[in-house]
Amino acid sequence: GSEYFSKMASNIHAIYDTGRRLLEQEKKTGVIIFFDEFDHIAKRRGYGNSPENDSLITTLNENLDGGSSRAGIITFAATNVEEIIDPAITSRFHKLYVGYPTTNEGVIGIHQAIITKMERYAQSRLFGDIDYTQILSFSRRDERYKSGRVIEHILYGAALQGTLEHVQQYGEMETPPLKPPLITTENLYNAYQNYHLDDVHLQSTTENKVKLA
């Protein structure tokens, strides 16, 4: 993205130029280009009366097929709002609709993947051994609790709450414990109970994620 007119189109060209260089000069066997939040650059022409938006569609079309295309480059894109993507763009993709996980193992897997990411970033263990039996009661009650975005918000909220409570309890000690205790099943359950799915947030999380390739 860029605040400068035509710079976004130039950035898109640069991405594909890099892909072609990897294939032609560095002899890579293939290149995958992935755009997340694809609607940011692929809104249908005329949407918002933005001349640059129309330019982006032209640029994407040129790189997806036509004179600028190159065998060996595969483009993936993801969006929650397929309806605002330009039809000329979606016609160049195969569509895969990704809904919520259908098993308990899938919901647990999302939790574990996000926890792994959080702990890798923190370079420290943050969560104890979680009993997901209680946690799964929320996703059985409302499938919106199967959303990765909602789960991530709740997990981060539980970690933040644990840190705040640790600071409040030990902040005035001369030598407080360096790390808050690990987040327990009870802590996570309370985070779920205190989480409110507002209408605006639900609108984005209840949409099926669309992957285009």
Side-chain angles (χ1 to χ4, degrees):
S2 174
E3 68 273 23
Y4 299 107
F5 185 78
S6 80
K7 186 67 169 68
M8 290 176 68
S10 176
N11 290 342
I12 292 171
H13 274 305
I15 289 170
Y16 281 94
D17 285 343
T18 299
R20 287 185 284 271
R21 177 179 55 78
L22 289 170
L23 291 169
E24 296 165 3
Q25 299 178 19
E26 300 187 22
K27 306 302 180 183
K28 301 296 184 183
T29 56
V31 173
I32 293 175
I33 295 174
F34 174 66
F35 294 102
D36 199 8
E37 308 297 346
F38 194 45
D39 45 281
H40 184 60
I41 60 171
K43 294 183 180 70
R44 63 178 179 267
R45 279 167 283 202
Y47 189 92
N49 297 317
S50 169
E52 174 148 30
N53 181 68
D54 295 355
S55 174
L56 293 176
I57 297 302
T58 300
T59 301
L60 284 167
N61 284 338
E62 289 175 354
N63 285 283
L64 289 170
D65 62 10
S68 300
S69 63
R70 170 68 160 81
I73 295 178
I74 301 176
T75 301
F76 287 85
T79 180
N80 285 326
V81 281
E82 180 197 0
E83 63 273 10
I84 71 171
I85 303 293
D86 192 90
I89 297 294
T90 55
S91 67
R92 287 167 165 80
F93 286 90
H94 298 288
K95 298 179 186 179
L96 172 64
Y97 291 90
V98 182
Y100 295 127
T102 57
T103 64
N104 290 338
E105 289 75 15
V107 178
I108 293 171
I110 293 176
H111 284 80
Q112 293 173 338
I114 296 171
I115 287 173
T116 297
K117 179 180 71 172
M118 292 172 63
E119 293 183 335
R120 185 183 297 123
Y121 181 79
Q123 297 183 340
S124 176
R125 191 177 181 195
L126 303 174
F127 290 79
D129 295 326
I130 301 297
D131 177 9
Y132 288 100
T133 304
Q134 300 180 53
I135 304 305
L136 289 171
S137 64
F138 289 92
S139 60
R140 285 193 292 267
R141 184 190 317 160
D142 190 326
E143 69 170 3
R144 294 171 295 189
Y145 283 105
K146 297 179 180 180
S147 163
R149 188 177 302 178
V150 171
I151 293 171
E152 184 172 62
H153 281 193
I154 293 171
L155 290 172
Y156 272 89
L160 177 61
Q161 184 62 32
T163 302
L164 292 175
E165 291 177 356
H166 175 75
V167 170
Q168 290 171 355
Q169 184 174 359
Y170 297 106
E172 296 182 1
M173 291 178 58
E174 186 174 342
T175 56
L178 294 178
K179 296 180 181 179
L182 297 180
I183 296 165
T184 65
T185 301
E186 182 180 2
N187 298 144
L188 186 54
Y189 184 86
N190 290 336
Y192 262 90
Q193 283 192 312
N194 294 327
Y195 188 77
H196 299 289
L197 294 167
D198 60 86
D199 293 339
V200 174
H201 185 63
L202 285 178
Q203 186 174 357
S204 63
T205 58
T206 55
E207 295 284 350
N208 280 335
K209 191 79 167 179
V210 179
K211 291 193 182 299
L212 309 169

